[in-house]
């Protein structure tokens, strides 16, 4: 059964670890992440961007697939199904489709409008037992058409949004979606510490988890980050393993063209990186 992400992230803050949000794109992605979470006895958040939701034919399909998979794979660890960088309309669609968690990304609106819309969606989500994430500042780079300038969040604005009753908060601290450029300055820990000071035990979310060095991940967790989003890295592992399979000519041998064989190395690639991240984030055996 799906659960909201509130409880698992509260526990993560108390236990000084983070729960991974891994974005899904299709059946293979979902199955790989759910099985890895179960094998490692780790809570997990399945992230769905609006683009990926559309690709999978809509949020109802996603919700039905995830619910059925949890049952048929006998997944017993806590799993949240979460809309990633949701628009106002997207949030309502996911609430209706049976998601257990939503993110309203109002970071591109003036702060007053972000507050107004977040307030409304907090009520909607909580009335139905869903968790809700909000965003202040913006995550740099691009993810499925969501482009951010990468500004550092203003701690006072974080406090204002936190006070609306959101369950966890994404604050831009120099993090970027996709691969980090060579000249990346790193995470702004001073900003993170100031935000933490003002929002207390509210779980903080680190987007752009791909390619952040391990020591920075650990420091971020020590400063209150309890949810870390990873998307691109799963795609890169899938791509690399698939490329190897084809370059070695395995698709040309016997029934190597069977999609279940062709996609198997990429599937294993996702499992490998998800396990590595769960170990790094400290969520293994925390289900
Ligand atoms: P990456 O693609 O950089 O891992 O970021 C994922 C993310 O933040 C999803 O919201």
């Amino acid at each position: 059964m799906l659960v909201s992400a509130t409880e698992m992230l509260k526990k993560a803050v108390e236990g000084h670890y983070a729960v991974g949000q891994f974005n899904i794109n299709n059946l293979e992605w979902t199955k790989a992440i759910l099985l890895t979470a179960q094998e490692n006895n780790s809570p997990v958040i399945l992230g769905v961007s609006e683009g990926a939701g559309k690709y999978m034919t809509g949020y109802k399909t996603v919700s039905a697939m995830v619910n059925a998979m949890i049952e048929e794979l006998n997944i017993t660890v806590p799993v949240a199904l979460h809309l990633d960088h949701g628009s106002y309309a997207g949030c309502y669609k996911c609430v209706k489709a049976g998601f257990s968690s939503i993110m309203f990304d109002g970071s591109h609106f003036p702060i007053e409008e972000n507050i107004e819309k977040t307030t409304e969606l907090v009520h909607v989500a909580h009335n139905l037992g869903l968790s809700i994430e909000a965003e202040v500042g913006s995550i740099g780079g691009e993810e499925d058409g969501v482009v951010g300038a990468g500004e550092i969040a203003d701690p006072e604005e974080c406090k204002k949004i936190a006070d609306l009753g959101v369950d966890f908060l994404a604050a831009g601290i120099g993090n970027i979606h996709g691969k980090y450029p060579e000249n990346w300055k790193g995470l702004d820990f001073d900003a993170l510490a100031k935000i933490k000071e003002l929002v207390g035990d509210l779980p903080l979310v680190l987007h752009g988890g791909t390619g952040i060095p391990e020591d920075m991940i650990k420091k971020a967790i020590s400063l209150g980050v309890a949810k870390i989003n990873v998307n691109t890295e799963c795609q890169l592992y899938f791509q690399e393993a698939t490329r190897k399979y084809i370059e070695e000519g395995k698709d040309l041998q016997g029934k190597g063209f069977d999609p279940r064989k062709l996609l198997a190395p990429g599937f294993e690639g996702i499992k490998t990186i998800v396990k590595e991240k769960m170990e790094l984030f400290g969520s293994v055996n925390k289900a």
Side-chain angles (χ1 to χ4, degrees), residues 156-184:
E156 297 293 338
E157 289 189 357
C158 290
K159 168 81 175 138
K160 279 189 193 161
I161 296 277
D163 286 347
L164 304 177
V166 298
D167 300 290
F168 31 104
L169 180 70
I173 52 164
N175 37 339
I176 297 172
H177 286 132
K179 291 181 185 173
Y180 283 84
E182 290 284 323
N183 61 353
W184 181 52

Short mmCIF file of all heavy atoms in Angstrom, two decimals, residues 156-184:
data_model
loop_
_atom_site.label_atom_id
_atom_site.label_comp_id
_atom_site.label_asym_id
_atom_site.label_seq_id
_atom_site.Cartn_x
_atom_site.Cartn_y
_atom_site.Cartn_z
N GLU A 156 14.29 33.66 4.88
CA GLU A 156 13.04 34.22 5.41
C GLU A 156 11.84 33.71 4.60
O GLU A 156 10.78 33.42 5.16
CB GLU A 156 13.07 35.76 5.36
CG GLU A 156 14.16 36.41 6.21
CD GLU A 156 13.93 36.21 7.72
OE1 GLU A 156 12.77 35.97 8.11
OE2 GLU A 156 14.92 36.29 8.48
N GLU A 157 12.03 33.62 3.30
CA GLU A 157 10.94 33.10 2.45
C GLU A 157 10.70 31.62 2.75
O GLU A 157 9.56 31.15 2.74
CB GLU A 157 11.27 33.31 0.97
CG GLU A 157 11.19 34.76 0.57
CD GLU A 157 11.29 34.99 -0.95
OE1 GLU A 157 11.47 34.01 -1.70
OE2 GLU A 157 11.17 36.16 -1.36
N CYS A 158 11.77 30.90 3.02
CA CYS A 158 11.64 29.47 3.38
C CYS A 158 10.79 29.34 4.64
O CYS A 158 9.91 28.49 4.73
CB CYS A 158 13.01 28.85 3.65
SG CYS A 158 14.00 28.66 2.17
N LYS A 159 11.05 30.22 5.59
CA LYS A 159 10.31 30.19 6.85
C LYS A 159 8.82 30.46 6.59
O LYS A 159 7.94 29.79 7.15
CB LYS A 159 10.92 31.25 7.79
CG LYS A 159 10.13 31.58 9.02
CD LYS A 159 10.35 30.55 10.12
CE LYS A 159 9.64 30.95 11.40
NZ LYS A 159 8.98 29.80 12.03
N LYS A 160 8.55 31.43 5.71
CA LYS A 160 7.15 31.75 5.41
C LYS A 160 6.44 30.54 4.80
O LYS A 160 5.29 30.24 5.15
CB LYS A 160 7.09 32.91 4.39
CG LYS A 160 7.27 34.26 5.01
CD LYS A 160 6.99 35.35 3.97
CE LYS A 160 7.46 36.70 4.48
NZ LYS A 160 7.62 37.67 3.43
N ILE A 161 7.09 29.87 3.89
CA ILE A 161 6.46 28.70 3.24
C ILE A 161 6.37 27.54 4.23
O ILE A 161 5.37 26.81 4.27
CB ILE A 161 7.25 28.29 1.96
CG1 ILE A 161 7.20 29.42 0.92
CG2 ILE A 161 6.72 26.98 1.39
CD1 ILE A 161 5.97 29.49 0.05
N ALA A 162 7.40 27.38 5.06
CA ALA A 162 7.39 26.30 6.05
C ALA A 162 6.20 26.46 6.99
O ALA A 162 5.53 25.49 7.35
CB ALA A 162 8.69 26.31 6.85
N ASP A 163 5.92 27.72 7.35
CA ASP A 163 4.83 28.00 8.30
C ASP A 163 3.44 27.70 7.73
O ASP A 163 2.46 27.72 8.46
CB ASP A 163 4.89 29.46 8.76
CG ASP A 163 6.04 29.68 9.74
OD1 ASP A 163 6.60 28.68 10.22
OD2 ASP A 163 6.39 30.86 10.00
N LEU A 164 3.36 27.44 6.44
CA LEU A 164 2.06 27.12 5.84
C LEU A 164 1.65 25.68 6.14
O LEU A 164 0.55 25.27 5.80
CB LEU A 164 2.11 27.33 4.32
CG LEU A 164 2.53 28.72 3.83
CD1 LEU A 164 2.59 28.74 2.32
CD2 LEU A 164 1.56 29.78 4.34
N GLY A 165 2.59 24.92 6.70
CA GLY A 165 2.26 23.54 7.06
C GLY A 165 2.69 22.51 6.03
O GLY A 165 2.21 21.38 6.04
N VAL A 166 3.60 22.90 5.12
CA VAL A 166 4.10 21.90 4.16
C VAL A 166 4.86 20.82 4.92
O VAL A 166 5.36 21.07 6.02
CB VAL A 166 5.00 22.54 3.07
CG1 VAL A 166 4.24 23.56 2.25
CG2 VAL A 166 6.26 23.14 3.66
N ASP A 167 4.93 19.64 4.35
CA ASP A 167 5.56 18.51 5.06
C ASP A 167 7.06 18.45 4.85
O ASP A 167 7.79 17.88 5.64
CB ASP A 167 4.90 17.21 4.64
CG ASP A 167 3.42 17.23 4.95
OD1 ASP A 167 3.08 17.18 6.15
OD2 ASP A 167 2.60 17.34 4.02
N PHE A 168 7.53 18.99 3.72
CA PHE A 168 8.96 19.07 3.46
C PHE A 168 9.20 20.16 2.42
O PHE A 168 8.30 20.49 1.64
CB PHE A 168 9.58 17.73 3.04
CG PHE A 168 8.68 16.78 2.28
CD1 PHE A 168 8.83 16.62 0.91
CD2 PHE A 168 7.70 16.03 2.93
CE1 PHE A 168 8.01 15.74 0.19
CE2 PHE A 168 6.88 15.16 2.22
CZ PHE A 168 7.03 15.01 0.85
N LEU A 169 10.42 20.68 2.44
CA LEU A 169 10.68 21.89 1.65
C LEU A 169 11.94 21.76 0.80
O LEU A 169 13.01 21.41 1.30
CB LEU A 169 10.83 23.07 2.62
CG LEU A 169 11.12 24.43 1.97
CD1 LEU A 169 9.88 24.95 1.22
CD2 LEU A 169 11.55 25.43 3.03
N ALA A 170 11.78 22.08 -0.49
CA ALA A 170 12.93 22.12 -1.39
C ALA A 170 13.42 23.56 -1.43
O ALA A 170 12.66 24.47 -1.76
CB ALA A 170 12.51 21.68 -2.79
N ALA A 171 14.67 23.75 -1.06
CA ALA A 171 15.24 25.10 -1.08
C ALA A 171 16.47 25.08 -1.98
O ALA A 171 17.35 24.23 -1.79
CB ALA A 171 15.61 25.52 0.35
N GLY A 172 16.50 25.98 -2.93
CA GLY A 172 17.66 26.05 -3.82
C GLY A 172 18.90 26.46 -3.04
O GLY A 172 18.90 27.48 -2.36
N ILE A 173 19.95 25.64 -3.10
CA ILE A 173 21.21 26.00 -2.42
C ILE A 173 22.39 25.78 -3.37
O ILE A 173 23.45 25.31 -2.96
CB ILE A 173 21.41 25.21 -1.09
CG1 ILE A 173 21.26 23.69 -1.31
CG2 ILE A 173 20.47 25.69 -0.01
CD1 ILE A 173 21.82 22.85 -0.17
N GLY A 174 22.14 26.11 -4.65
CA GLY A 174 23.20 25.94 -5.65
C GLY A 174 23.15 24.58 -6.34
O GLY A 174 24.05 24.25 -7.11
N ASN A 175 22.11 23.81 -6.05
CA ASN A 175 21.97 22.49 -6.70
C ASN A 175 21.35 22.63 -8.09
O ASN A 175 20.60 23.56 -8.35
CB ASN A 175 21.16 21.52 -5.82
CG ASN A 175 20.01 22.17 -5.07
OD1 ASN A 175 19.98 23.38 -4.86
ND2 ASN A 175 19.04 21.39 -4.69
N ILE A 176 21.68 21.67 -8.93
CA ILE A 176 21.31 21.76 -10.36
C ILE A 176 20.78 20.40 -10.82
O ILE A 176 21.34 19.36 -10.47
CB ILE A 176 22.56 22.12 -11.20
CG1 ILE A 176 23.08 23.50 -10.83
CG2 ILE A 176 22.26 22.06 -12.70
CD1 ILE A 176 24.42 23.84 -11.47
N HIS A 177 19.72 20.41 -11.62
CA HIS A 177 19.24 19.18 -12.25
C HIS A 177 20.21 18.76 -13.35
O HIS A 177 20.75 19.61 -14.06
CB HIS A 177 17.86 19.38 -12.87
CG HIS A 177 16.75 19.48 -11.86
ND1 HIS A 177 15.81 20.47 -11.89
CD2 HIS A 177 16.42 18.68 -10.82
CE1 HIS A 177 14.94 20.29 -10.89
NE2 HIS A 177 15.30 19.21 -10.22
N GLY A 178 20.39 17.49 -13.53
CA GLY A 178 21.27 17.00 -14.60
C GLY A 178 22.72 16.98 -14.13
O GLY A 178 23.00 17.08 -12.94
N LYS A 179 23.65 16.86 -15.09
CA LYS A 179 25.07 16.78 -14.73
C LYS A 179 25.58 18.14 -14.26
O LYS A 179 25.16 19.17 -14.79
CB LYS A 179 25.89 16.34 -15.94
CG LYS A 179 25.64 14.91 -16.39
CD LYS A 179 26.54 14.61 -17.58
CE LYS A 179 26.24 13.24 -18.15
NZ LYS A 179 26.97 12.98 -19.39
N TYR A 180 26.48 18.15 -13.28
CA TYR A 180 27.04 19.41 -12.79
C TYR A 180 28.16 19.87 -13.73
O TYR A 180 28.96 19.05 -14.16
CB TYR A 180 27.56 19.24 -11.35
CG TYR A 180 26.41 19.24 -10.37
CD1 TYR A 180 25.71 18.07 -10.11
CD2 TYR A 180 25.98 20.41 -9.76
CE1 TYR A 180 24.61 18.06 -9.26
CE2 TYR A 180 24.89 20.42 -8.90
CZ TYR A 180 24.21 19.24 -8.67
OH TYR A 180 23.12 19.24 -7.83
N PRO A 181 28.22 21.17 -14.03
CA PRO A 181 29.30 21.64 -14.90
C PRO A 181 30.64 21.62 -14.17
O PRO A 181 30.68 21.62 -12.94
CB PRO A 181 28.88 23.09 -15.22
CG PRO A 181 27.96 23.49 -14.12
CD PRO A 181 27.32 22.24 -13.60
N GLU A 182 31.72 21.59 -14.94
CA GLU A 182 33.08 21.56 -14.38
C GLU A 182 33.31 22.68 -13.36
O GLU A 182 33.97 22.48 -12.35
CB GLU A 182 34.10 21.76 -15.52
CG GLU A 182 34.20 20.58 -16.47
CD GLU A 182 34.98 19.43 -15.88
OE1 GLU A 182 35.97 19.69 -15.16
OE2 GLU A 182 34.58 18.26 -16.10
N ASN A 183 32.76 23.86 -13.65
CA ASN A 183 33.03 25.04 -12.80
C ASN A 183 31.98 25.24 -11.70
O ASN A 183 31.85 26.32 -11.16
CB ASN A 183 33.13 26.30 -13.66
CG ASN A 183 31.84 26.58 -14.41
OD1 ASN A 183 30.92 25.75 -14.39
ND2 ASN A 183 31.76 27.73 -15.06
N TRP A 184 31.24 24.17 -11.37
CA TRP A 184 30.20 24.27 -10.32
C TRP A 184 30.83 24.65 -8.98
O TRP A 184 31.88 24.09 -8.60
CB TRP A 184 29.47 22.94 -10.21
CG TRP A 184 28.37 22.92 -9.18
CD1 TRP A 184 27.35 23.81 -9.07
CD2 TRP A 184 28.19 21.96 -8.13
NE1 TRP A 184 26.53 23.45 -8.02
CE2 TRP A 184 27.03 22.33 -7.42
CE3 TRP A 184 28.90 20.83 -7.72
CZ2 TRP A 184 26.55 21.60 -6.33
CZ3 TRP A 184 28.43 20.10 -6.63
CH2 TRP A 184 27.26 20.49 -5.95
#
